[in-house]
Amino acid sequence: MRGAFRLGSAAMRFFSDNAAPAHPKVLEAIASANRIDTAYDGDERSRRLDGAFSELFGTEVRAFWVTTGTAANCLALAALCPPYRAILCHKDAHIEVDEAGAPGFFTGGAKLVHVPGDGAKIDPEAIAETCDAIRNDVHQVQPAAISITNATEYGLAYRADEVAAIGELAKQRRLALHMDGARLANALVSTGDALADMTWRAGVQALSFGFVKNGGLNAEALILFDTELADEIAVRRKRAGHLLSKGRYLAVQLLAMLEGDLWLDNARAANAAAQALATAAPDRLVYPVEANEIFLKVSSDEAERLRAAGFDFYDWGPGQIRLVTSWDQQGDALDRLAAAIAAL
Amino acid sequence: MRGAFRLGSAAMRFFSDNAAPAHPKVLEAIASANRIDTAYDGDERSRRLDGAFSELFGTEVRAFWVTTGTAANCLALAALCPPYRAILCHKDAHIEVDEAGAPGFFTGGAKLVHVPGDGAKIDPEAIAETCDAIRNDVHQVQPAAISITNATEYGLAYRADEVAAIGELAKQRRLALHMDGARLANALVSTGDALADMTWRAGVQALSFGFVKNGGLNAEALILFDTELADEIAVRRKRAGHLLSKGRYLAVQLLAMLEGDLWLDNARAANAAAQALATAAPDRLVYPVEANEIFLKVSSDEAERLRAAGFDFYDWGPGQIRLVTSWDQQGDALDRLAAAIAAL
Amino acid sequence: MRGAFRLGSAAMRFFSDNAAPAHPKVLEAIASANRIDTAYDGDERSRRLDGAFSELFGTEVRAFWVTTGTAANCLALAALCPPYRAILCHKDAHIEVDEAGAPGFFTGGAKLVHVPGDGAKIDPEAIAETCDAIRNDVHQVQPAAISITNATEYGLAYRADEVAAIGELAKQRRLALHMDGARLANALVSTGDALADMTWRAGVQALSFGFVKNGGLNAEALILFDTELADEIAVRRKRAGHLLSKGRYLAVQLLAMLEGDLWLDNARAANAAAQALATAAPDRLVYPVEANEIFLKVSSDEAERLRAAGFDFYDWGPGQIRLVTSWDQQGDALDRLAAAIAAL
Amino acid sequence: MRGAFRLGSAAMRFFSDNAAPAHPKVLEAIASANRIDTAYDGDERSRRLDGAFSELFGTEVRAFWVTTGTAANCLALAALCPPYRAILCHKDAHIEVDEAGAPGFFTGGAKLVHVPGDGAKIDPEAIAETCDAIRNDVHQVQPAAISITNATEYGLAYRADEVAAIGELAKQRRLALHMDGARLANALVSTGDALADMTWRAGVQALSFGFVKNGGLNAEALILFDTELADEIAVRRKRAGHLLSKGRYLAVQLLAMLEGDLWLDNARAANAAAQALATAAPDRLVYPVEANEIFLKVSSDEAERLRAAGFDFYDWGPGQIRLVTSWDQQGDALDRLAAAIAAL
């Protein structure tokens, strides 16, 4: 559980990948879009997104820019789950604990039902058991969708075959499958799996494809593999106040991130930084480090010493801290933190 | 009523102030914010907004960045009107005709009740009559708030005393008062009224303060004069997916617009361009030109000739067109359009 | 527009068919159900409804008891119209003016869009024009359903062919068709049309079938001709708190009303009473009397004289009154009112 | 967890107090109301409810008839908890597991947050711990209300002092307090506490006061001790389709139940029947029997033998059954079941 936080004066921050700046190429792209163009998503750059992401995924998709992961997640869930049904997710899922109840708002009151699992990761057996415990009558809320986060909120990565197993169960039970991919790039780099295998080939219908934590400025992508949802999503996006009038400035951010696989390069950098820290304290790891988040067993005294040395991070429940590395993590701060941890 | 539209190849566009680029100072501000900082709205720039806008308005306000006018409008309305009551507005109000039903979504089903008035402008008498026609019982939806747009959707400006008269009625009838100020700068420049007189002194509780149409990139401001609403708005903004994780890039846009009264300069430029066009065709004006929108009586043949000459604009119902000028409107295109209209 | 009302001491009431008692056979049926039985709608009587109504309509239907017309209307509309679309109806439709915004609540914020028409009756031309005025883009709310009231709120009856014409348009435009049949029995008796022709053969997908105004106690029926909606309606009914735990007492009311065509007999009695009044004042009629409501041009002085003579009714806007007759209207009061009106 | 169920042919049912018939005095009251009267809740009987319940509680209350406990619960919760906050309740609370997500519907998406406790009973310590685990920021949903069920879903009764302790905590933390009193009469009879001590003196703001399980037909009461909520509840009731047009038939049921303390007599009879069964199998009791529900450790083989002997009841998870006694439980069936259990 995340504690309160204040930014220190030091630049040696490891508290969130949201703290990192945007990649210079993203800023350049925004500047390059600063011309007269059609409003909303009628501009030429926004119109290119479907094609660009279809090429990336190797299948026909519909791609929507949005400004937050919460918007991407909840627009998708609203299209996948009617108000009177439930979404299966882990109790530590971002949609459950960090979105202010946004799924309830966007869906019109659908429930989130918790599936147990270590490190916020769930598997088909646990999902099936959770479903089986719901009486099939009108008194209990029936599930309509599964939502998984990859990488998870505790930095674990689902492999493509693990997602596919969930996708198979979803298909059998007529449940939709949504992936919160706020850190999908980190999971992909970590597992080495192919993007297509991790998503649509595994049965994912809608993907919140994160870019902001990975070097973007304020553009995320909502990717629909079930392209029949596109018209509804377009309306829901507008209705939620998420159709920006100068959408071209979002579209170019996404295109810049795809250009030359910048999104993968950034994720590799963040993951490598995380591995450097993990290596420094193998005995303190709460979970294996499979993305860019590191959870360490660190006493509050030890945590204070790290902070005194100039490092910023979150406490994460009693005796644990969370470190997050970013695409731009400087080697120097990293080396010093690794040393400081090793020396505790 | 707006017709369909496709952007021509010409740069001589008069179809929307959303088409204009962002002002260079806004881009510079974004670039200057590209450093490590606290996430969401915890950064130093976001924290400066309350103070900056309080100074601007000459009273204590709470200021929230959002990315769209729809979000600003509907977050405000949700805080001002419970789900089981109604918002009084003109039938051509943006919240009624151009936001995909967002008020219904954000409020949880509140009604919009239409108040008649020319040029999308309403007055206390019409509001009172509309209220009086609602039976005061549980069968009919009772009004809770009034929403006015300044400048209106037809380019008319409310003067401060007109807003104050509505504010007085609102107070008498215990109705909240919201102003959609997507083009407030244009209205202020046009009337010469003071910002404070036009808003909180006139009884406005919440203001959607538009910047994007006026040279911004993707940051609008929601201003609360009733500061007790701030905690609720903060939660609702998050819940609606509108709390961006790198909010600093929005905050700096707003600060840049306030700096040196850039927002007023931009509005003056757009209004002056509109007056230049209005002067060219006084007999064709559907409404007085009091902001940066011009509605002209132009036959479809005439409209085609203007388009053939390279000008982009919307048809607006039979026999009418809408022209919108922007902060960056070039003198050359303006002169040519004025001449073309005069020559029709 | 309905004015305020207080029940006089006299029994000579013509203010609402909701004021009438329940038919004795309905009370007998309730008493007969007073035994141990399965809860909710699992009892044998509730289970018989699908069959009883399927036989009545001559096609397979799904029938649900509910306790109010508002519940029947709004459960149906929620199943026929997603939150982000609109329902076309007359501005005087009960769902618009007398249900406290319930459609907005049940649908999650769908809009009601007004179709003009005399006497609260709409036709395909007016519906088509209303649709055509809605721009087909994400900014404007697109229609999903039509709702008509038969008999209308002003006592006019749609004939089966008129409903079929609307049904045809609905089909062409892919709109659902709902009928608020709070006084359907009165319309049927008046037009002489067959129940099947008036409903499913005319393209109606869901019918709010009124019984309470027609001699019932507190059971209305929601009839689904589109039987695929049944599972959703069952869940929505529970979720709205409308699945009574002792549903058998509602089921028997409906079965009693169908038994021996009691529902048609009651409607005939009410309509005949209305005709007796209409005949007394042909020159004062605001609308033709095609059901059990009579709207008369009566000055406020005249209205007071009628009230002084012991008659209860609503004022209905300036210079008009509404009289409503019921299944149990006594001949004596009726004769006296007819005479009093004729003598004005 | 409740299993599936089919009603046997035997009259020896112990599966639900919803299965019992209505008390004859309730039916008589309905029959006595079968006259002309004002519609909705304008009739003289509905108007008497505020007074009758104020007298019963010994303080000024506002009393609303509704037809289901779900409606009573969720109307109250919607008035006590805004859409963006949470209601604290046990994970086995009726509002959580048996109302089809109705709280989410009525509140517009508020969350239910689980407080642990044995037998669905919660205490101040557990509530406080649950609250303390919620980070006080906009990312997590903040609690606004507590809902407790008395007697609980497992037949335990809160004593008045236990409710008062929760009420005290609620006051300290500015949380509203709702009581689901579907079986409040049973809890009162069991604890011997006074109605006022159990409710408003203990800090309860809104009470769902159950009558249907206790011999009523289809009328429950929603009691507001915070009378300022009354106007909102009146509108919400209408808006949810719960304002019956012939409300007098509900009002008289409630008045009949209060007359001569019929509601307490009925609860005493049901509780006494439960005690008779509890005495027969003290070693099999899962929970103390403090109301009219008995949960027994009974193997599935044993359960089959009981069913074969003609007794109807629910399985309740593996190795457990639930028996519920009613106001009308016949001595003979009771004696036979007690003997059959003892003989297992």
Side-chain angles (χ1 to χ4, degrees):
Chain A
M1 189 184 63
R2 171 148 61 103
F5 176 77
R6 284 170 204 281
L7 182 64
S9 55
M12 295 188 297
R13 93 294 178 206
F14 293 88
F15 62 94
S16 172
D17 30 15
N18 286 323
H23 193 281
K25 289 190 179 170
V26 169
L27 278 180
E28 285 167 26
I30 290 174
S32 78
N34 203 36
R35 36 150 286 181
I36 295 165
D37 209 333
T38 305
Y40 303 106
D41 61 353
D43 61 285
E44 183 263 339
R45 278 78 175 246
S46 296
R47 293 289 161 200
R48 278 170 51 198
L49 292 184
D50 286 349
F53 281 96
S54 292
E55 191 175 347
L56 183 71
F57 282 96
T59 190
E60 191 198 347
V61 308
R62 294 292 301 274
F64 293 82
W65 42 251
V66 287
T67 56
T68 63
T70 296
N73 287 338
C74 295
L75 288 171
L77 293 175
L80 296 176
C81 180
Y84 49 84
R85 293 183 70 182
I87 298 149
L88 300 159
C89 66
H90 193 275
K91 76 174 171 51
D92 294 325
H94 199 266
I95 56 172
E96 171 63 32
V97 297
D98 267 312
E99 300 191 353
F105 175 51
F106 279 78
T107 61
K111 283 181 86 76
L112 300 188
V113 170
H114 299 168
V115 179
D118 287 339
K121 196 169 168 181
I122 61 179
D123 64 26
E125 290 67 37
I127 298 169
E129 276 177 35
T130 303
C131 290
D132 291 342
I134 298 171
R135 244 183 14 250
N136 185 12
D137 64 24
V138 299
H139 301 267
Q140 299 211 323
V141 182
Q142 305 302 309
I146 302 167
S147 179
I148 59 175
T149 310
N150 200 15
T152 76
E153 288 75 8
Y154 285 102
L156 300 182
Y158 286 90
R159 293 189 316 270
D161 64 318
E162 293 174 313
V163 178
I166 293 173
E168 185 57 33
L169 178 79
K171 197 173 165 187
Q172 287 165 14
R173 300 207 172 216
R174 301 189 180 200
L175 300 170
L177 181 55
H178 164 255
M179 181 181 283
D180 177 350
R183 295 186 181 96
L184 177 59
N186 306 90
L188 278 173
V189 163
S190 173
T191 60
D193 286 325
L195 180 58
D197 293 340
M198 188 67 99
T199 55
W200 63 273
R201 282 206 192 109
V204 173
Q205 271 114 24
L207 167 69
S208 303
F209 198 170
F211 289 94
V212 175
K213 292 179 194 295
N214 194 25
L217 191 144
N218 58 16
E220 309 277 21
L222 170 55
I223 307 295
L224 303 178
F225 304 110
D226 179 351
T227 56
E228 293 193 355
L229 299 173
D231 289 350
E232 177 176 344
I233 289 289
V235 173
R236 286 190 181 271
R237 180 174 63 168
K238 170 67 190 176
R239 177 176 170 84
H242 283 285
L243 181 64
L244 274 66
S245 59
K246 296 181 177 176
R248 52 201 180 270
Y249 297 104
L250 298 183
V252 290
Q253 294 180 49
L254 299 178
L255 294 171
M257 289 294 285
L258 297 190
E259 181 77 24
D261 286 341
L262 177 59
W263 67 290
L264 287 172
D265 291 344
N266 284 356
R268 275 186 206 105
N271 280 16
Q275 288 301 328
L277 296 178
T279 306
D283 299 343
R284 292 179 179 268
L285 292 178
V286 184
Y287 301 106
V289 175
E290 300 176 354
N292 63 327
E293 295 187 291
I294 306 103
F295 293 83
L296 296 179
K297 293 171 205 147
V298 164
S299 71
S300 59
D301 274 2
E302 293 170 330
E304 283 317 297
R305 276 150 56 196
L306 290 176
R307 287 200 173 92
F311 301 102
D312 280 331
F313 50 86
Y314 278 109
D315 293 323
W316 212 266
Q320 296 189 12
I321 65 169
R322 185 188 78 164
L323 306 172
V324 187
T325 55
S326 305
W327 67 272
D328 70 323
Q329 210 75 47
Q330 297 110 323
D332 183 50
L334 201 62
D335 295 344
R336 288 167 63 186
L337 177 55
I341 293 171
L344 281 176
Chain B
M1 190 185 61
R2 173 149 57 104
F5 176 77
R6 284 170 202 281
L7 182 64
S9 54
M12 296 188 296
R13 93 294 179 209
F14 293 88
F15 62 95
S16 171
D17 29 16
N18 288 322
H23 192 281
K25 290 189 179 170
V26 169
L27 278 180
E28 284 167 25
I30 290 174
S32 77
N34 204 36
R35 34 149 288 179
I36 295 164
D37 209 333
T38 305
Y40 302 107
D41 61 353
D43 61 286
E44 183 261 339
R45 277 79 175 243
S46 295
R47 292 290 161 198
R48 278 171 52 199
L49 292 184
D50 285 350
F53 280 98
S54 292
E55 192 176 346
L56 183 71
F57 282 97
T59 191
E60 191 199 345
V61 309
R62 294 291 303 275
F64 294 82
W65 42 250
V66 289
T67 55
T68 62
T70 295
N73 287 339
C74 294
L75 289 170
L77 294 175
L80 297 176
C81 181
Y84 48 84
R85 293 183 69 184
I87 298 149
L88 300 159
C89 67
H90 194 275
K91 75 174 173 50
D92 293 326
H94 198 267
I95 56 172
E96 170 65 30
V97 296
D98 266 312
E99 300 189 354
F105 176 51
F106 279 77
T107 61
K111 282 181 85 77
L112 300 187
V113 170
H114 299 168
V115 179
D118 287 338
K121 196 170 170 183
I122 61 179
D123 63 29
E125 292 65 38
I127 297 169
E129 275 177 36
T130 304
C131 290
D132 292 342
I134 298 171
R135 242 180 19 247
N136 185 13
D137 63 25
V138 300
H139 302 266
Q140 298 211 323
V141 182
Q142 304 302 310
I146 303 167
S147 179
I148 59 174
T149 310
N150 198 16
T152 76
E153 290 74 8
Y154 285 103
L156 299 183
Y158 287 89
R159 294 188 318 270
D161 64 317
E162 292 174 313
V163 178
I166 294 173
E168 185 58 33
L169 179 79
K171 198 174 166 187
Q172 287 166 14
R173 301 208 172 214
R174 302 189 179 199
L175 301 170
L177 179 56
H178 164 257
M179 181 182 282
D180 176 350
R183 294 188 182 95
L184 177 60
N186 306 89
L188 279 173
V189 164
S190 172
T191 60
D193 286 324
L195 180 58
D197 293 339
M198 188 68 99
T199 55
W200 61 276
R201 282 205 191 106
V204 173
Q205 271 113 26
L207 167 70
S208 304
F209 198 168
F211 289 95
V212 176
K213 292 180 192 297
N214 194 27
L217 192 143
N218 58 17
E220 309 277 22
L222 171 54
I223 307 296
L224 302 179
F225 304 109
D226 179 351
T227 56
E228 294 192 355
L229 299 173
D231 288 351
E232 176 176 343
I233 289 290
V235 173
R236 285 190 182 272
R237 179 175 63 170
K238 170 67 188 176
R239 177 175 170 82
H242 283 286
L243 181 63
L244 274 68
S245 59
K246 297 181 177 176
R248 52 201 181 270
Y249 297 103
L250 298 182
V252 292
Q253 294 181 48
L254 299 178
L255 295 171
M257 289 294 285
L258 298 190
E259 180 78 23
D261 286 341
L262 177 59
W263 67 290
L264 287 173
D265 290 345
N266 283 357
R268 276 185 204 106
N271 281 16
Q275 288 302 326
L277 295 178
T279 307
D283 299 341
R284 292 178 179 269
L285 292 177
V286 184
Y287 301 106
V289 175
E290 301 176 351
N292 63 327
E293 297 186 291
I294 307 104
F295 294 83
L296 296 180
K297 292 171 204 148
V298 163
S299 71
S300 58
D301 274 3
E302 292 170 329
E304 283 318 297
R305 277 148 57 195
L306 290 176
R307 287 199 172 93
F311 302 101
D312 280 331
F313 51 84
Y314 278 110
D315 292 323
W316 214 267
Q320 297 188 11
I321 64 169
R322 186 188 77 163
L323 306 173
V324 187
T325 55
S326 306
W327 67 273
D328 70 322
Q329 211 75 46
Q330 296 109 325
D332 183 52
L334 201 62
D335 295 343
R336 288 167 61 186
L337 177 54
I341 292 170
L344 281 176
Chain C
M1 190 185 63
R2 173 149 58 105
F5 176 78
R6 286 170 201 281
L7 182 63
S9 55
M12 296 188 297
R13 95 292 179 209
F14 293 88
F15 61 94
S16 171
D17 30 15
N18 285 324
H23 193 281
K25 289 188 178 171
V26 169
L27 277 181
E28 285 167 24
I30 289 174
S32 77
N34 203 39
R35 37 150 287 180
I36 294 164
D37 210 334
T38 304
Y40 301 107
D41 62 352
D43 61 284
E44 183 261 340
R45 277 79 175 245
S46 295
R47 293 290 161 198
R48 279 169 51 196
L49 292 184
D50 285 350
F53 280 97
S54 292
E55 191 175 347
L56 183 72
F57 281 96
T59 190
E60 191 198 345
V61 308
R62 294 291 302 273
F64 293 82
W65 43 249
V66 287
T67 56
T68 62
T70 296
N73 287 338
C74 294
L75 288 170
L77 293 175
L80 296 176
C81 180
Y84 49 84
R85 293 183 69 184
I87 298 149
L88 300 159
C89 67
H90 194 274
K91 78 173 170 52
D92 294 326
H94 198 267
I95 56 172
E96 170 66 31
V97 294
D98 267 311
E99 300 190 352
F105 176 50
F106 279 78
T107 61
K111 282 181 86 77
L112 301 186
V113 170
H114 299 168
V115 179
D118 287 338
K121 198 170 168 181
I122 61 178
D123 63 28
E125 290 68 36
I127 297 169
E129 275 177 36
T130 304
C131 290
D132 291 342
I134 298 171
R135 244 183 14 250
N136 185 14
D137 63 24
V138 300
H139 301 266
Q140 299 212 321
V141 183
Q142 304 302 310
I146 303 166
S147 180
I148 58 174
T149 310
N150 200 14
T152 76
E153 290 75 8
Y154 285 102
L156 300 182
Y158 287 89
R159 293 188 318 268
D161 64 318
E162 292 174 314
V163 178
I166 293 173
E168 185 57 33
L169 178 79
K171 197 174 166 187
Q172 286 166 15
R173 299 207 173 215
R174 301 189 180 199
L175 300 170
L177 181 55
H178 164 256
M179 182 182 282
D180 177 351
R183 295 187 181 95
L184 177 59
N186 306 90
L188 278 172
V189 163
S190 172
T191 60
D193 286 325
L195 179 58
D197 293 340
M198 188 67 98
T199 55
W200 62 273
R201 281 204 193 108
V204 173
Q205 270 114 24
L207 168 69
S208 303
F209 197 170
F211 289 96
V212 175
K213 292 179 193 295
N214 194 27
L217 192 143
N218 58 17
E220 310 276 21
L222 171 55
I223 306 296
L224 302 179
F225 303 110
D226 180 349
T227 56
E228 294 192 355
L229 299 173
D231 288 351
E232 177 177 344
I233 289 290
V235 173
R236 286 189 180 271
R237 179 173 64 168
K238 170 68 190 177
R239 176 175 170 82
H242 283 286
L243 182 63
L244 275 66
S245 59
K246 297 181 176 176
R248 52 201 181 270
Y249 298 104
L250 297 182
V252 290
Q253 294 181 49
L254 299 178
L255 295 170
M257 290 294 286
L258 297 189
E259 180 79 24
D261 285 343
L262 176 59
W263 67 290
L264 287 172
D265 291 346
N266 283 357
R268 277 185 205 106
N271 280 16
Q275 288 302 325
L277 295 178
T279 307
D283 298 344
R284 291 178 179 269
L285 292 177
V286 183
Y287 300 106
V289 175
E290 300 175 354
N292 63 327
E293 295 187 292
I294 306 102
F295 293 83
L296 296 179
K297 292 170 205 148
V298 164
S299 71
S300 58
D301 275 2
E302 292 170 331
E304 283 318 298
R305 277 149 57 195
L306 291 176
R307 287 199 173 93
F311 301 101
D312 280 332
F313 52 85
Y314 278 110
D315 292 324
W316 213 267
Q320 296 188 10
I321 65 170
R322 186 189 78 165
L323 306 172
V324 187
T325 55
S326 305
W327 67 272
D328 71 323
Q329 211 74 48
Q330 297 110 324
D332 183 50
L334 201 63
D335 294 345
R336 287 167 62 186
L337 178 55
I341 293 170
L344 281 175
Chain D
M1 190 185 60
R2 174 148 57 104
F5 177 76
R6 284 170 202 279
L7 181 64
S9 55
M12 296 187 299
R13 92 296 178 207
F14 293 87
F15 61 94
S16 171
D17 30 15
N18 286 323
H23 193 281
K25 289 189 179 171
V26 169
L27 278 181
E28 285 167 26
I30 290 173
S32 78
N34 203 37
R35 35 149 287 181
I36 295 164
D37 209 334
T38 305
Y40 303 106
D41 61 353
D43 61 286
E44 183 261 339
R45 277 79 174 242
S46 296
R47 291 291 161 198
R48 279 171 51 198
L49 292 184
D50 285 350
F53 279 98
S54 291
E55 192 176 347
L56 183 72
F57 281 97
T59 191
E60 192 198 345
V61 308
R62 294 292 302 273
F64 293 82
W65 43 250
V66 287
T67 55
T68 63
T70 296
N73 287 338
C74 295
L75 288 170
L77 294 174
L80 297 175
C81 181
Y84 49 84
R85 294 184 67 184
I87 298 149
L88 299 159
C89 66
H90 194 274
K91 75 173 172 51
D92 294 327
H94 198 267
I95 56 172
E96 171 65 30
V97 295
D98 266 313
E99 300 191 351
F105 176 50
F106 279 78
T107 61
K111 282 183 84 78
L112 301 187
V113 170
H114 298 167
V115 179
D118 287 339
K121 197 171 167 181
I122 60 178
D123 63 28
E125 290 67 38
I127 297 169
E129 276 177 35
T130 304
C131 290
D132 291 343
I134 298 171
R135 240 180 22 246
N136 185 13
D137 64 22
V138 301
H139 302 266
Q140 298 211 323
V141 183
Q142 305 302 310
I146 303 167
S147 180
I148 59 174
T149 311
N150 200 14
T152 76
E153 290 73 10
Y154 285 102
L156 299 182
Y158 288 89
R159 292 188 318 272
D161 64 317
E162 293 174 312
V163 179
I166 293 173
E168 186 57 33
L169 178 79
K171 199 173 163 185
Q172 287 165 15
R173 300 206 174 218
R174 301 190 180 199
L175 300 170
L177 180 55
H178 165 255
M179 181 182 282
D180 177 350
R183 293 186 182 97
L184 177 60
N186 306 91
L188 278 173
V189 163
S190 172
T191 60
D193 285 326
L195 180 58
D197 293 340
M198 189 66 99
T199 54
W200 62 275
R201 282 205 192 108
V204 173
Q205 270 114 26
L207 167 69
S208 303
F209 198 169
F211 289 95
V212 174
K213 291 179 193 297
N214 194 26
L217 192 142
N218 58 16
E220 309 277 21
L222 172 54
I223 307 296
L224 302 179
F225 303 110
D226 180 351
T227 56
E228 293 192 355
L229 299 173
D231 288 351
E232 178 176 343
I233 290 290
V235 173
R236 285 190 182 271
R237 179 174 65 170
K238 170 66 190 177
R239 177 173 169 84
H242 283 287
L243 181 65
L244 275 66
S245 59
K246 296 180 176 177
R248 53 201 181 269
Y249 297 104
L250 298 183
V252 292
Q253 294 181 48
L254 299 178
L255 295 171
M257 289 295 286
L258 297 190
E259 181 80 23
D261 285 342
L262 177 59
W263 67 290
L264 287 172
D265 291 345
N266 283 356
R268 278 188 202 103
N271 280 17
Q275 288 301 328
L277 295 178
T279 307
D283 299 343
R284 292 180 178 268
L285 291 178
V286 184
Y287 301 106
V289 175
E290 300 176 353
N292 63 325
E293 296 187 291
I294 307 103
F295 292 84
L296 297 178
K297 292 169 204 147
V298 164
S299 71
S300 59
D301 275 3
E302 292 170 330
E304 283 317 298
R305 276 147 59 195
L306 291 176
R307 287 200 173 92
F311 301 101
D312 280 332
F313 52 85
Y314 277 110
D315 292 324
W316 212 268
Q320 297 188 11
I321 65 170
R322 186 188 77 164
L323 305 172
V324 187
T325 55
S326 304
W327 67 274
D328 71 323
Q329 210 74 47
Q330 296 110 324
D332 183 51
L334 201 62
D335 295 344
R336 287 167 62 185
L337 177 54
I341 293 170
L344 281 176

